[in-house]
């Protein structure tokens, strides 16, 4: 059960109401994670939505972004984001078994996505300066410097919602993962 108060779309006012209305018209509901953030800081929810929108217009595909979301959410132990992004990954064309592989930080079906999830997992689970070989490995399969920067941005975006959900124990309002 969520620990922080959530304002419903009917109770929201001002910027929160505007954002919730936009989200609901776009995805059919206001997911509990967004409701939590927007209930307490509409400007931060706006920033998070804009960050995600910028990523969608970047050099990484939806499949690549969802691969990052899954491996990072698994590494941080965010059950909410795992459920949400398993659904999103399926919509991006991954099978249930492929989503399981991505969560482990390995992906046998595509060498580029495999390198991407290995990179993302290493960025999240290690400290200090990343070894040069780690950057070289992702570049060796064709990722550009722009895509590396956007991958790091995607990592930071999902980490924010992972942390909110872990602190809040956000009630999962997506299908349970298999």
């Amino acid at each position: 059960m969520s620990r922080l108060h959530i304002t419903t779309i009917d109770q929201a006012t001002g910027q929160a109401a505007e954002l919730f209305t936009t989200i609901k018209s776009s995805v059919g509901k206001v997911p509990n994670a967004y409701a939590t953030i927007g209930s307490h800081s509409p400007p931060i929810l706006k920033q998070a939505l804009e960050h995600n929108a910028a990523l969608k217009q970047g050099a990484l595909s939806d499949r690549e972004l969802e691969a990052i979301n899954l491996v990072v959410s698994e590494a941080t132990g965010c059950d909410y984001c795992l459920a949400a992004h398993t659904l999103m990954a399926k919509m991006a064309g991954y099978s249930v078994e492929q989503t399981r592989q991505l969560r482990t930080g390995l992906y046998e079906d595509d060498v580029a996505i495999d390198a991407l999830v290995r990179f993302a997992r290493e960025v999240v689970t290690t400290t200090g300066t990343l070894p040069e070989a780690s950057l070289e490995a992702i570049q060796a399969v064709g990722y550009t410097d722009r895509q590396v920067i956007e991958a790091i941005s995607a990592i930071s975006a999902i980490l924010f919602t992972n942390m909110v959900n872990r602190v809040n124990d956000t009630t999962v309002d997506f299908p349970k993962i298999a």
Side-chain angles (χ1 to χ4, degrees):
M1 177 170 205
S2 296
R3 298 171 181 161
L4 301 171
H5 171 76
I6 296 176
T7 303
T8 66
I9 193 168
D10 300 334
Q11 299 168 326
T13 60
Q15 187 179 25
E18 292 171 19
L19 291 167
F20 290 172
T21 299
T22 300
I23 294 166
K24 185 174 181 182
S25 68
S26 175
V27 298
K29 68 177 184 176
V30 179
N32 288 338
Y34 287 160
T36 300
I37 298 164
S39 293
H40 301 284
S41 184
I44 296 298
L45 176 58
K46 182 176 187 257
Q47 176 190 32
L49 294 170
E50 289 171 347
H51 190 167
N52 287 329
L55 287 168
K56 293 279 189 189
Q57 295 181 16
L60 296 173
S61 69
D62 286 346
R63 286 177 60 84
E64 291 164 321
L65 292 170
E66 289 308 325
I68 291 169
N69 289 336
L70 284 173
V71 70
V72 172
S73 296
E74 180 71 27
T76 64
C78 181
D79 63 341
Y80 187 94
C81 288
L82 282 171
H85 290 287
T86 295
L87 177 64
M88 298 301 293
K90 289 177 190 173
M91 293 169 61
Y94 289 111
S95 70
V96 172
E97 181 53 38
Q98 289 171 325
T99 65
R100 286 188 197 116
Q101 281 183 41
L102 290 166
R103 289 170 48 198
T104 69
L106 303 171
Y107 190 70
E108 298 172 357
D109 296 346
D110 182 308
V111 295
I113 292 179
D114 182 64
L116 179 66
V117 294
R118 286 174 186 263
F119 175 79
R121 188 173 195 289
E122 185 175 6
V123 168
V124 172
T125 61
T126 63
T127 60
T129 302
L130 214 60
E132 189 172 350
S134 300
L135 177 59
E136 290 170 349
I138 194 170
Q139 292 171 325
V141 297
Y143 283 99
T144 65
D145 290 353
R146 175 184 175 172
Q147 289 171 309
V148 170
I149 292 296
E150 290 181 10
I152 296 166
S153 181
I155 292 166
S156 72
I158 193 62
L159 278 173
F160 170 68
T161 53
N162 286 174
M163 298 305 111
V164 167
N165 293 320
R166 289 180 54 225
V167 168
N168 185 43
D169 193 17
T170 306
T171 301
V172 179
D173 53 351
F174 289 94
K176 299 270 186 212
I177 58 173

